[in-house]
Amino acid sequence: MIFFKSKDFKVGLKIEINDEPFIIVENEFVNPGKGQAFNRLKLKSFITGLVIRKTVKLGEKLKSTDLFELKVKYLYFDSNSYHFMNEDSFEYYDVSLDIIGETKNWLKEGCFCFIVFLNDKIVYVKPSKFSELSVLECEDVNSASVVSKNSKNAILETGVNIKVPLFVKVNDIVKVDTEEKSYISRVN
């Protein structure tokens, strides 16, 4: 097992805390005038997606994690699981509903995403940063609401509900940031 010292911490580093894999999303080195220097870390769990903060004293070590990400293509969903394929090796992966979690909101047949393995076991499916989805339903806009609002609710083809600008209509294809769950642009 590899251990990382506090001087090795950087954004993107994958570590393990209490047998749970995390990725460092923020790293701030703090050297106060009095007392010992430390790193203030913001960590995101690969399994739950929760973000936690951790303070690590100078010289402390954190354990590396045996985490591996594989880019795959989403094929289809049957009543039991989601099915993916590695386009390089043509290997198939079945992922259960409890592992897929909220990622299902961003999966469209033929899209690419990442399967995350921990010790050769699938622990998480990470969607691509951006997804292009069709608008199934959205609120009608009248002239009175245009003055009071600058966005409206829209339901996308995967069933997820997001805020979109007033000019977006049904059947428009929109680009969405899957991490922020927010509208980026209209594609068509």
Side-chain angles (χ1 to χ4, degrees):
M1 184 62 57
I2 298 171
F3 286 88
F4 296 110
K5 293 181 180 178
S6 57
K7 67 177 181 151
D8 300 323
F9 297 161
K10 61 183 178 201
V11 172
L13 188 67
K14 298 169 182 126
I15 60 170
E16 191 172 305
I17 299 173
N18 298 330
D19 297 324
E20 186 174 347
F22 287 88
I23 186 168
I24 297 176
V25 292
E26 264 182 39
N27 176 30
E28 179 186 2
F29 178 73
V30 180
N31 192 2
K34 287 175 105 177
Q36 187 177 13
F38 60 92
N39 288 71
R40 191 177 292 136
L41 302 176
K42 189 174 179 182
L43 306 166
K44 183 175 181 180
S45 169
F46 267 99
I47 296 174
T48 63
L50 291 176
V51 175
I52 64 168
R53 297 191 183 277
K54 181 168 180 64
T55 302
V56 181
K57 293 178 185 174
L58 194 63
E60 255 186 77
K61 298 177 183 176
L62 292 177
K63 188 166 52 169
S64 71
T65 186
D66 186 17
L67 210 58
F68 173 70
E69 286 184 24
L70 178 67
K71 185 176 180 179
V72 293
K73 185 176 189 177
Y74 171 59
L75 299 176
Y76 64 94
F77 169 73
D78 62 23
S79 59
N80 300 322
S81 58
Y82 289 79
H83 301 273
F84 301 88
M85 180 182 72
N86 178 345
E87 288 204 315
D88 296 330
S89 67
F90 298 105
E91 193 170 350
Y92 288 86
Y93 301 94
D94 299 336
V95 180
S96 65
L97 296 168
D98 57 326
I99 292 174
I100 209 79
E102 292 298 312
T103 302
K104 69 182 179 195
N105 292 330
W106 311 112
L107 295 178
K108 176 180 171 181
E109 288 183 14
C111 74
F112 288 95
C113 56
F114 299 90
I115 292 181
V116 179
F117 294 87
L118 177 62
N119 301 323
D120 297 324
K121 181 181 173 207
I122 298 172
V123 292
Y124 181 65
V125 176
K126 184 171 89 172
S128 293
K129 172 77 171 137
F130 302 105
S131 184
E132 293 181 0
L133 300 168
S134 178
V135 176
L136 283 184
E137 297 176 30
C138 58
E139 298 175 15
D140 288 332
V141 179
N142 58 36
S143 58
S145 66
V146 170
V147 174
S148 62
K149 308 194 285 189
N150 61 359
S151 67
K152 61 184 178 179
N153 291 320
I155 298 175
L156 305 181
E157 64 184 289
T158 57
V160 69
N161 190 343
I162 66 166
K163 294 275 188 194
V164 297
L166 298 175
F167 60 80
V168 173
K169 303 181 299 287
V170 172
N171 295 326
D172 280 353
I173 297 174
V174 294
K175 184 175 184 178
V176 181
D177 182 327
T178 60
E179 291 175 5
E180 301 292 325
K181 299 176 178 70
S182 62
Y183 170 88
I184 299 295
S185 66
R186 186 168 59 178
V187 176
N188 63 346

